[in-house]
Amino acid sequence: MGGQGEERGLIPRLCENLFSSVAERELNPNPDESAWTAKLEVSYMEIYLEKVRDLLSPNSTRQLRVREHVSTGPYVEDLTSHAVSSFDMV
């Protein structure tokens, strides 16, 4: 996830853009839309040799499973997620 300047990885660039977009939307709301709020959560996982590892809980030895919800699609059961309010928290 590291790197500096132009060498930053995909995750830092994506998160920075996401928080910039949320801040822009909060500062300049669209008058044609109803009230808008955002709740952002992060999860990090590694899938290697068909095994899923929770990178926010690296000491966990529990086997995580990929599931599929009928309406929302695939998800990882019991994957840790944390609410964040700024890019620095990521």
Side-chain angles (χ1 to χ4, degrees), residues 1-87:
M1 189 173 123
Q4 301 293 322
E6 294 297 318
E7 299 294 319
R8 290 177 313 171
L10 178 63
I11 294 172
R13 289 184 285 144
L14 178 90
C15 291
E16 189 174 62
N17 186 275
L18 179 63
F19 281 103
S20 293
S21 296
V22 168
E24 175 70 26
R25 180 119 186 222
E26 288 175 346
L27 290 173
N28 301 310
N30 186 342
D32 297 333
E33 294 179 359
S34 60
W36 184 85
T37 61
K39 176 184 173 188
L40 301 172
E41 296 181 2
V42 295
S43 296
Y44 293 115
M45 69 177 154
E46 173 186 70
I47 302 174
Y48 181 70
L49 295 177
E50 298 186 19
K51 294 187 179 177
V52 181
R53 192 174 88 156
D54 187 340
L55 297 178
L56 293 180
S57 181
N59 295 330
S60 175
T61 58
R62 186 172 168 179
Q63 181 70 28
L64 299 177
R65 297 178 59 181
V66 177
R67 302 282 205 172
E68 186 163 356
H69 189 273
V70 175
S71 60
T72 60
Y75 69 97
V76 176
E77 188 175 49
D78 299 326
L79 182 65
T80 303
S81 68
H82 294 279
V84 293
S85 59
S86 71
F87 175 68

